[in-house]
Amino acid sequence: MKVVNPNLYIISSVAGGGKSTIIAALLAEYPEFYFSISCTTREPRPGDKDGKTYHFLSVPEFQKRIEAGEFYEWAEVHGNYYGTPKGPILEALREHRVALLDLDVQGAKSVKAIRPESVTIFIEPPSREIWIERLIRRGTDSKTSIERRIQNGIKELDEAPSFDYVVVNDRLEDAIQDVKSILFGSKNKT
Ligand code: 5GP
C-alpha cells in the first residue's frame, strides 16, 4: 500500500466564517507552514497589505496571468477574480512544507481534482443567524457586498458535506484546536 502524506490543506468557508482568523492563528504558532498568498482583483480592505494578504492586480493584469498559465487554480468569487500563483505552491510542496490554501468552494474542488491527496476543510458557522450577525459585525464590507456574500454563502453551505472535514466555528479556540487535530491526526472525517 502506498501511503501518501498530505501536505496540502485547503481551508474554505462562507465569508465571515472565521477562516482567516483560524489560518492566522495557525501561522503564528507554526511559522514553518507555507501560506499561499493569492492574487485578486478586488479592492483592498482596511488592514489588507499588498503582497501580504493578497497580491492586488488590475483585471487586465489578472487576465494576462491566466493566459500565461501562472495560476494553479483561479475562480471568480463575489464578482472579483481570485487565483493561486502556481510557482510558490509547487516549490513549497517540493520542499515538503505543510501548505495552507484559503480558497472558495470552487477553488477547493479544483485543487482536490488536481491533487486528490490534498485535505479539504470547511469551516462552518454554528448557525445561519450567528453567521449573518458576524458578517455584518465584521464591518469590512459594503451593504451590497454583504448581501452578495450572504447569497453566495447560502450556496456554499450546501457544499460543506463534499469536504473531507467540517469544523464548526462556535468557540474560536475549539475550532483552531479541531483544525490542528486534522493537520496532525484525524478527526471529524465526513
Ligand atoms: P475575501 O475577498 O473575503 O478575502 O475572499 C473571498 C473569497 O475568495 C474567500 O472565500 C476566499 O477563500 C476566496 N479566495 C481567496 N483566494 C482565493 C484563490 O486564490 N482562489 C480561489 N478560488 N478562491 C480564493
Side-chain angles (χ1 to χ4, degrees), residues 134-186:
R134 283 179 186 170
L135 188 57
I136 293 168
R137 200 153 23 100
R138 183 164 81 160
T140 50
D141 302 282
S142 66
K143 193 163 176 274
T144 338
S145 170
I146 290 174
E147 277 162 10
R148 179 179 264 188
R149 280 160 198 267
I150 291 172
Q151 291 313 319
N152 288 342
I154 289 169
K155 287 187 219 131
E156 287 171 326
L157 285 172
D158 287 342
E159 304 267 358
S162 70
F163 279 69
D164 294 324
Y165 296 89
V166 175
V167 168
V168 177
N169 182 11
D170 192 355
R171 272 194 62 233
L172 181 65
E173 291 314 312
D174 293 342
I176 294 169
Q177 199 50 51
D178 281 352
V179 175
K180 281 204 258 179
S181 307
I182 295 166
L183 262 52
F184 298 114
S186 196

Side-chain angles (χ1 to χ4, degrees), residues 19 38 42 45 54 73 75 82-84 102-104 107 149:
K19 167 188 56 169
S38 297
R42 85 149 158 74
R45 289 197 289 248
Y54 282 104
E73 65 71 46
Y82 291 82
T84 307
D102 171 343
L103 302 181
D104 83 315
R149 280 160 198 267

